[in-house]
Amino acid sequence: MGALYHQFVGSPVGMRTASSLERAMEESISLQPYVRRVEVRINRDMLKENIFGYGELEGRMIWAQVEIEYEER
């Protein structure tokens, strides 16, 4: 979870790109050892776009669920 937070907080994101950023986050974290399943959502209600049409991803905007499997338990 720390990798997800530290790798992506501050990323530029807009309404048009939020879904692709969610997928990129899922794909990236899925490469970590023992990760079985990842689901990431960005709270679009918290997304504030600037005059250029995007904002910055903040940690409080991220909802993530990561399922870990370690030694078949």
Side-chain angles (χ1 to χ4, degrees):
M1 295 298 284
L4 179 93
Y5 181 90
H6 291 290
Q7 184 174 350
F8 290 99
V9 166
S11 295
V13 63
M15 292 300 246
R16 185 177 57 81
T17 62
S19 359
S20 60
L21 183 55
E22 289 168 340
R23 300 299 146 261
M25 294 166 79
E26 290 172 349
E27 291 289 322
S28 176
I29 298 307
S30 73
L31 298 173
Q32 297 293 317
Y34 312 113
V35 173
R36 180 182 168 119
R37 189 179 68 77
V38 181
E39 185 178 353
V40 175
R41 295 291 169 261
I42 295 170
N43 184 332
R44 284 151 177 83
D45 293 334
M46 299 175 76
L47 184 57
K48 305 284 190 260
E49 296 183 346
N50 61 26
I51 61 171
F52 301 107
Y54 70 92
E56 288 183 17
L57 184 65
E58 299 176 26
R60 60 192 183 104
M61 302 165 121
I62 302 170
W63 175 91
Q65 186 170 7
V66 181
E67 185 178 319
I68 306 296
E69 184 175 319
Y70 180 73
E71 295 184 1
E72 299 179 26
R73 294 182 194 164

